[in-house]
Amino acid sequence: MDSNFAFLLPVMMLIFGCTFLIVARFGSREAKLWGPGYLFSAAAFSVPLFDSLLEERTASAIADALFLLGFLFYSGAVLARFKRPSYFRLRLAFAGVMYAGMLYAALVAVSIPAEFLLNDLACAALLGFAVAISLRHMRHAADKLLLAVSGLVIADIIIRNVIFVFIVPSYGGHEDFISSEYAFTMQAAASILALMFALAALAATTLDTIAAHRDAAERDPMTGMLNRRGFDRMVEERKGAQGTVIICDIDNFKWVNDTFGHGPGDEVIRAFAQMLQARLPEGAFAARFGGEEFVIFLPATPLAAGGDFANKVRLAFAAVDRKASGFDGRPIGFDGRITASFGVAGANPADHSLYEQIARADKALYAAKEAGRNKVMVEGEPPRDMSSPRVVAVNRGC
């Protein structure tokens, strides 16, 4: 066996193992599994370096156990990545049974080929099981790459064993294995595939970690809704999309905070956000812009339909009677209700950005507040029926 490989693989796997553990500190669950997997593999490939210190059969049994542990963690990492059940007990039981077979082959039958065949097939089966369970749950190119490289690792194990164990037997005892073509091929292929496997896993894990932190930065922690930054990104992704914009604001919210405290006030905001998100049509999105103000974008929605949607939300929110529960047994509002006001604006070909439309919706919201709150104002002509959504004329040039 080339001594370069003997040192290269353990060092490379040690580096990747430590790298994954660093990534795991940023909250990646799968990185917590990739890291130990690579560290166990590094230890397994290091065993031959201590031949002079370990008895032959002892060294072989240790290496077998370390390889199995490595692939037990690899398969767990794949399952965690694709949010599949861990099947930990099943995988552990399988590994235990296969390891018992390896010990029999090594210590009783004294057959190195049988021992290594069982070890390789156990590792391939553990990883193959995770890949098979995860195939239908790929989300993006990094997932496809990871499963493709996993497939190469499995194929290498199977093909190598078919060739060097069954077709062209290349070793018998321990000394024959050390100098065999099988050992050289295993080390060479492992060097390449371990690098590819680690880079694919690291890319997928890092992308998810970045996406999770970006999502956290673009969401309001209290309600889970988009914040202004997240709203801007959604608008940018739908560049050119037109529709209706709605701005809504919880009425007399300062009075709620001053009377009952900020804790109950936060409960009101969360309740409104939950009600709003539950009613959003497909393709629409909403954001909390700050305080008690929310902005909704309904793509490809006519102005009248946007007004109807706003009125349904208004009625649903106003219908909640908080007298019965209240905060600390006290009712909310003079009549036990908390209401919200809404301003609605449609798209204008002259708009340079969505924020011009938002500005018109904000003027309509202001008119709803001026008209007595708990109303929907839609930019346009004044209404005939005061019980229907209110309409306010807004200068589109603003």
Side-chain angles (χ1 to χ4, degrees), residues 72-376:
L72 194 64
F73 276 95
Y74 291 153
S75 61
V78 172
L79 291 170
R81 162 149 199 84
F82 294 96
K83 296 179 172 57
R84 299 296 87 208
S86 70
Y87 299 103
F88 177 72
R89 291 182 180 178
L90 176 64
R91 292 184 296 114
L92 183 62
F94 172 77
V97 170
M98 294 300 288
Y99 186 62
M102 294 171 217
L103 290 178
Y104 179 84
L107 304 179
V108 179
V110 193
S111 172
I112 295 294
E115 176 194 352
F116 283 10
L117 177 62
L118 287 172
N119 185 277
D120 282 345
L121 292 181
C123 292
L126 285 169
L127 186 57
F129 172 77
V131 170
I133 293 293
S134 306
L135 275 175
R136 295 184 180 181
H137 302 277
M138 295 181 291
R139 292 165 292 175
H140 43 62
D143 289 342
K144 295 179 181 179
L145 177 62
L146 176 59
L147 293 186
V149 175
S150 299
L152 288 177
V153 172
I154 297 166
D156 167 67
I157 293 173
I158 295 173
I159 293 171
R160 175 167 25 92
N161 276 277
V162 169
I163 294 175
F164 291 108
V165 176
F166 296 105
I167 299 178
V168 187
S170 63
Y171 60 90
H174 182 75
E175 293 301 325
D176 293 329
F177 166 75
I178 295 297
S179 58
S180 69
E181 292 182 16
Y182 176 91
F184 177 81
T185 304
M186 180 184 72
Q187 294 277 352
S191 296
I192 297 171
L193 291 174
L195 178 61
M196 294 173 61
F197 196 35
L199 291 177
L202 189 59
T205 302
T206 303
L207 285 174
D208 276 2
T209 302
I210 292 173
H213 282 276
R214 186 182 72 173
D215 186 67
E218 294 179 349
R219 289 199 177 273
D220 170 49
M222 181 191 298
T223 63
M225 296 182 72
L226 295 172
N227 57 22
R228 186 160 186 159
R229 177 187 294 178
F231 185 87
D232 287 344
R233 180 179 62 81
M234 295 290 283
V235 169
E236 182 64 25
E237 289 179 358
R238 291 161 175 76
K239 196 169 185 179
Q242 294 188 338
T244 296
V245 166
I246 303 170
I247 294 185
C248 42
D249 186 276
I250 299 173
D251 296 327
N252 297 309
F253 188 73
K254 184 178 184 301
W255 175 84
V256 174
N257 271 341
D258 291 346
T259 305
F260 302 101
H262 289 280
D266 290 347
E267 290 180 23
V268 171
I269 289 176
R270 280 192 287 266
F272 183 80
Q274 184 177 12
M275 178 176 291
L276 183 60
Q277 288 177 298
R279 286 168 169 74
L280 283 178
E282 185 176 356
F285 55 93
R288 182 186 176 203
F289 264 36
E292 66 275 21
E293 185 177 80
F294 298 81
V295 178
I296 308 159
F297 180 63
L298 305 175
T301 301
L303 183 62
D308 289 341
F309 172 81
N311 202 44
K312 288 177 182 178
V313 176
R314 178 189 71 83
L315 292 172
F317 188 65
V320 178
D321 187 353
R322 294 177 173 82
K323 275 185 178 178
S325 57
F327 304 125
D328 298 325
R330 302 168 64 186
I332 296 299
F334 298 107
D335 58 357
R337 297 188 305 162
I338 297 179
T339 61
S341 299
F342 297 76
V344 186
N348 187 329
D351 289 343
H352 293 92
S353 75
L354 188 67
Y355 278 91
E356 293 184 39
Q357 189 177 349
I358 289 175
R360 297 197 304 276
D362 193 50
K363 287 188 177 182
L365 171 65
Y366 181 78
K369 294 284 189 181
E370 289 289 302
R373 298 183 175 85
N374 190 25
K375 290 179 172 59
V376 174

